[in-house]
Amino acid sequence: MHTKLLSIAAAVALAFAGAAQAQSPSTGAQDHKPSVDRKARKAEEDRINTEYKAERAKCKDMKGNEKEACEADAKGKEHVAKAELKAKYDPTPANQRKVDEAKAEHQYKVAKEKCDAQKGKEESACEKDVKAKYDKAKADIKAKYASSERKSATGSTASTTK
């Protein structure tokens, strides 16, 4: 009789422990995961800021247009890195689009600063070329994400109308 009672008690205890364990990992993981992600994200933000300051420090001894191009490059790299970080932790098409846009804008601003070193017609021609490349990059990004947005919009509309 005593053995049967112990085995029943053990079975009940295991059932309760199993039920508690089934509930706690999901809750515990949800509670624990954001703090880990928050810490990792903060560390990456700090790394980006440190890299930006180091890049700006390299520009300190430069003069004129070379310094402006260097600073534009440093600022652009920071902007791209922050956009990539956001896309890493929130991987949506909108955030990926922002990464692509940041990269295109970075290339444009640096190239435009380099064009400023030239004079007269050469500068004007350089700026037109850079602007044309930037406009094409923006159009490509718009087309790339417009097609995916249309697909998702039609897919969601089709599923809600049925």
Side-chain angles (χ1 to χ4, degrees):
M1 179 76 176
H2 185 62
T3 309
K4 283 185 177 181
L5 188 59
L6 280 176
S7 61
I8 292 172
V12 170
L14 287 174
F16 280 124
Q21 187 178 14
Q23 289 176 353
S24 68
S26 63
T27 312
Q30 288 173 352
D31 291 343
H32 185 67
K33 187 178 179 189
S35 65
V36 171
D37 284 347
R38 196 176 307 125
K39 288 177 184 176
R41 188 175 185 159
K42 177 69 174 138
E44 288 187 53
E45 286 173 357
D46 291 344
R47 179 191 54 79
I48 290 168
N49 289 332
T50 302
E51 286 178 5
Y52 171 66
K53 289 176 184 176
E55 291 284 327
R56 289 275 319 248
K58 291 178 187 176
C59 304
K60 186 179 177 183
D61 295 332
M62 297 178 185
K63 298 223 185 280
N65 189 264
E66 184 182 11
K67 182 175 183 173
E68 290 174 9
C70 180
E71 289 174 347
D73 185 44
K75 189 68 177 170
K77 285 179 182 177
E78 177 195 32
H79 189 66
V80 169
K82 285 183 177 182
E84 288 174 338
L85 180 64
K86 186 171 183 176
K88 177 181 176 182
Y89 285 96
D90 187 16
T92 63
N95 284 338
Q96 187 56 48
R97 180 180 179 154
K98 288 177 184 176
V99 170
D100 292 344
E101 289 172 345
K103 288 178 180 179
E105 189 173 332
H106 170 233
Q107 291 173 346
Y108 171 68
K109 287 184 176 181
V110 172
K112 191 168 187 267
E113 286 297 333
K114 289 180 180 178
C115 287
D116 288 346
Q118 300 174 4
K119 298 290 181 208
K121 291 181 181 178
E122 291 174 355
E123 179 182 7
S124 179
C126 179
E127 286 180 355
K128 283 182 183 177
D129 183 48
V130 167
K131 179 72 169 146
K133 287 179 183 176
Y134 176 62
D135 289 342
K136 183 181 180 334
K138 284 193 330 185
D140 290 346
I141 292 167
K142 186 176 180 179
K144 176 182 174 183
Y145 290 98
S147 64
S148 67
E149 289 169 2
R150 258 186 263 127
K151 287 177 188 172
S152 65
T154 55
S156 63
T157 306
S159 64
T160 57
T161 57
K162 290 183 180 176

